[in-house]
């Protein structure tokens, strides 16, 4: 399980999301990277939970994809960047998908809007038929 | 990761030991609901102390366990939600609805006793 999370570029980690246990691997790896970036306390849980939501979305809507974890440093401030990427059907209506309680899958419809609330920066890009890329960041306080 | 379920008189105690996948959570749901019938249990305690993440799927599954167990005649109490997990759940907008919670196993068993006494005929 852990072996599947292979090192990408320096300080970057790619976790393939293909099966259920990969969601757990992704959030554990995200938590570890957040610790390395100097984040602590409830921020670690916030990041791990946000990763869990976007990783599950990949499985439910696209079948497979990947989570890329990166350490950040901007103006002396450290943080973590999480990119969730798939090549699934994409999202027709992003504002609708970002509404609390809206779901076309098996969820509570809190995945994307919830993840956005947990992170500092959140961006979603999608092209119908080509997939979804969610980029989110959390900075050290 | 199979969650061990212990029977203590008329209560089932499910102690989650490590991170669970979505499939593990659904397995726990099915196991608990079957055992409520098998042991004629009146109460269920789910100890989530070891969970470092309670996301929307975990919350929804725990809520459905509690609601389904109630339909089978057993009360459920969730115990051990960690402070960071509680903060995150609130920010995510997750609620456990009518599901009872308690700080730890001891308090959970006490609460179950009180709930079942209240339910008892003439109680």
């Amino acid at each position: 399980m852990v072996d599947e999370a292979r090192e990408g570029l320096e300080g970057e980690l790619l976790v393939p999301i293909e099966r259920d246990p990969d969601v757990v691997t992704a959030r554990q790896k995200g938590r570890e990277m957040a610790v390395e970036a100097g984040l602590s306390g409830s921020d670690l849980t916030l990041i791990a939970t946000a990763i869990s939501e976007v990783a599950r979305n990949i499985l439910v809507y696209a079948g497979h994809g990947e989570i890329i974890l990166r350490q950040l440093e901007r103006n002396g401030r450290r943080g973590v960047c999480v990119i969730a990427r798939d090549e699934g059907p994409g999202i027709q209506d992003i504002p609708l998908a970002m509404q609390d309680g809206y779901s076309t899958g098996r969820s509570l419809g809190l995945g994307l809007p919830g993840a956005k609330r947990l992170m500092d920066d959140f961006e979603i890009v999608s092209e119908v038929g080509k997939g979804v890329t969610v980029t989110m960041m959390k900075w050290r306080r | 990761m199979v969650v061990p379920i212990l029977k203590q008189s008329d209560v089932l105690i499910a102690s989650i030991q490590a991170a669970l996948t979505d499939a593990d959570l659904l397995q726990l749901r099915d196991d608990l609901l079957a055992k409520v019938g098998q042991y004629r249990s009146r109460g269920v305690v789910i100890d989530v102390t070891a969970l470092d993440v309670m996301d929307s799927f975990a919350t929804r599954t725990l809520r459905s366990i509690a609601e389904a167990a109630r339909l089978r005649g057993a009360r459920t109490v969730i115990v051990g939600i960690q402070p960071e997990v509680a903060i995150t759940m609130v920010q995510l907008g997750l609620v456990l609805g009518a599901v009872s919670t308690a700080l730890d196993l001891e308090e959970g068993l006490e609460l179950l006793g009180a709930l079942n006494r209240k339910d008892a005929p003439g109680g």
Side-chain angles (χ1 to χ4, degrees):
Chain A
M1 197 157 82
V2 173
D3 295 340
E4 285 167 29
R6 56 182 188 274
E7 295 274 354
L9 298 171
E10 201 184 341
E12 181 178 290
L13 196 70
L14 187 147
V15 186
I17 303 295
E18 279 150 17
R19 296 169 307 120
D20 218 22
D22 299 335
V23 176
V24 176
T25 304
R27 70 190 187 212
Q28 287 171 345
K29 291 285 158 195
R31 177 186 287 266
E32 285 167 21
M33 187 167 283
V35 171
E36 281 171 34
L39 285 95
S40 59
S42 60
D43 281 349
L44 302 177
T45 307
L46 298 180
I47 291 168
T49 308
I51 292 173
S52 199
E53 297 295 342
V54 294
R56 179 175 302 101
N57 269 10
I58 290 176
L59 281 183
V60 171
Y61 296 102
H64 61 92
E66 58 197 24
I67 300 277
I68 298 158
L69 302 165
R70 248 178 231 162
Q71 290 205 44
L72 298 170
E73 188 160 356
R74 190 188 288 165
N75 306 326
R77 213 171 162 209
R78 295 176 71 195
V80 194
C81 175
V82 178
I83 300 167
R85 195 158 62 191
D86 69 61
E87 294 176 355
I91 300 173
Q92 296 252 356
D93 187 339
I94 290 179
L96 187 62
M98 290 305 297
Q99 274 178 28
D100 274 336
Y102 178 79
S103 173
T104 59
R106 51 164 178 152
S107 69
L108 291 170
L110 290 171
L112 288 176
K116 184 179 179 181
R117 279 199 293 274
L118 298 181
M119 303 293 280
D120 295 326
D121 302 290
F122 183 98
E123 185 193 58
I124 180 164
V125 178
S126 177
E127 199 176 329
V128 172
K130 292 205 172 161
V132 181
T133 301
V134 175
T135 306
M136 47 192 199
M137 294 172 219
K138 189 90 186 168
W139 298 94
R140 190 176 160 178
R141 280 189 282 193
Chain B
M1 168 61 67
V2 175
V3 177
I5 299 172
L6 308 172
K7 177 187 171 296
Q8 185 180 307
S9 70
D10 62 352
V11 174
L12 296 175
I13 302 170
S15 276
I16 297 171
Q17 308 286 318
L20 298 181
T21 65
D22 292 359
D24 295 334
L25 278 160
L26 295 176
Q27 184 68 49
L28 173 64
R29 179 195 66 188
D30 296 349
D31 289 352
L32 272 173
L33 290 176
K35 285 200 159 70
V36 162
Q38 190 184 339
Y39 296 122
R40 312 189 73 76
S41 305
R42 300 281 313 282
V44 174
V45 177
I46 304 174
D47 188 347
V48 299
T49 306
L51 285 189
D52 66 339
V53 167
M54 289 255 288
D55 60 12
S56 59
F57 188 83
T59 304
R60 189 178 78 136
T61 307
L62 290 177
R63 206 161 72 188
S64 67
I65 290 173
E67 283 164 6
R70 183 88 179 101
L71 292 172
R72 305 264 289 145
R75 295 279 200 160
T76 300
V77 179
I78 310 280
V79 304
I81 297 178
Q82 294 302 297
E84 300 82 13
V85 173
I87 290 167
T88 306
M89 288 174 72
V90 171
Q91 290 206 22
L92 255 179
L94 295 175
V95 287
L96 277 168
V99 181
S100 303
T101 53
L103 186 64
D104 55 22
L105 183 56
E106 194 184 339
E107 302 255 333
L109 289 169
E110 206 169 292
L111 178 59
L112 267 184
L115 289 171
N116 282 335
R117 273 194 301 279
K118 206 177 73 185
D119 282 354

